[in-house]
Amino acid sequence: MKIRRMHWKALACIISICILSGCGNRTMENESSADPVNDSPLETWFDSITGDMLDACNSEPETIEAFDHDPLILLNWYRDDIRLYGINVGEGRKDEATLLYVQGEKVLLPYPYRNLYYDTPDVNVLDADEDGKEEIVISRRNGIGTPGYWFTLLIVDQENDWVIHEYDQCVEDIEALVEYRYQDASDTLTFLNRRTGKVLTEIPLPDWTEEYPYAGKVEYANSIRYDVKTMQLQVEPWILLENSLPYWPVAFVFDIQYRNGEFEIEINDVQYVSMAMAIRMGCET
């Protein structure tokens, strides 16, 4: 299936704890994980939080100020025995983390929770590895840009204790499954299944790329999201163009498998992005 050629004019770049608590934001750089918090004010605050405090913090923040500044906020009340909270003791990224309340226990997740969109993590609970025990699956936004978005996937698994597994090798896994080839004569990119050689899709570049030609590279790292309900990864490959923001007319969907603390992905589907979203946004350098 081919993408229809269309011409687009250049657009402007789109750019009671609180003693029982105030039950956040800034732009965050893309990051795969946060440094563990050890013997810090944040850890001291985490240790002091009681079950009564968590029970009292039972609604998501209604204002940006609360999201940014309250020392304890609810991020996701999945069910009574599984909840996610944001905790902070200051203004910087190292002053915040995420608290998972699971089956009466507190688990410190050393990841910031605040982001530019003030959105909250998605949570699901399922036996992801089919070992007879439920795991907690969390997708959190960990970076934003114009354009672009970044999410990370966490699985909190009960082994001898609660253990956090982060899926941080998705780009390498995508590159191991998908290859691309450029045909200069037809100005077309072909994406193939690297294992089978099967063509996944062919992308003829639009007419306006005569002015902003293909720069010779496709990147996968800048538009990645996870669906914790279906255990899938979606990525929109960026076709890099000279003196322009990238072009991303297609999305690949992968099924995620989790076994023994390890992640694997398999290609599930190819989806075509609406042309209104796929246009180059005309930002010249």
Side-chain angles (χ1 to χ4, degrees), residues 14-179:
I14 300 173
I15 310 305
S16 183
I17 284 172
C18 303
I19 317 273
L20 274 171
S21 177
C23 241
N25 170 92
R26 68 188 62 79
T27 301
M28 295 166 53
E29 296 179 359
N30 185 24
E31 41 82 12
S32 61
S33 64
D35 293 332
V37 283
N38 295 309
D39 300 324
S40 67
L42 186 63
E43 190 175 51
T44 300
W45 170 228
F46 169 84
D47 290 340
S48 72
I49 296 172
T50 67
D52 287 342
M53 291 176 173
L54 297 176
D55 290 344
C57 186
N58 55 17
S59 61
E60 294 182 8
E62 296 180 355
T63 66
I64 291 174
E65 289 74 17
F67 190 91
D68 271 342
H69 303 298
D70 283 2
L72 178 69
I73 68 166
L74 178 67
L75 299 175
N76 192 308
W77 192 301
Y78 181 83
R79 65 191 194 204
D80 286 350
D81 66 333
I82 297 178
R83 316 171 206 161
L84 206 59
Y85 297 85
I87 61 174
N88 80 83
V89 293
E91 295 300 316
R93 286 175 58 200
K94 291 187 176 181
D95 297 327
E96 64 178 283
T98 306
L99 184 156
L100 173 65
Y101 175 83
V102 50
Q103 299 174 5
E105 297 181 53
K106 297 182 302 180
V107 180
L108 183 62
L109 309 183
Y111 303 94
Y113 66 87
R114 290 177 278 194
N115 58 75
L116 185 61
Y117 291 115
Y118 303 93
D119 61 359
T120 55
D122 291 331
V123 176
N124 193 22
V125 177
L126 73 162
D127 184 4
D129 56 4
E130 299 178 353
D131 66 349
K133 296 184 295 184
E134 290 183 331
E135 290 81 41
I136 297 93
V137 186
I138 301 168
S139 176
R140 51 175 286 274
R141 188 187 294 269
N142 68 321
I144 52 176
T146 304
Y149 48 82
W150 302 269
F151 290 81
T152 190
L153 183 72
L154 306 175
I155 289 187
V156 184
D157 196 356
Q158 190 171 30
E159 298 172 4
N160 294 329
D161 200 351
W162 291 102
V163 178
I164 307 163
H165 296 283
E166 179 179 6
Y167 184 32
D168 56 4
Q169 300 294 321
C170 65
V171 173
E172 292 88 342
D173 289 348
I174 292 166
E175 290 175 340
L177 287 176
V178 178
E179 66 174 307

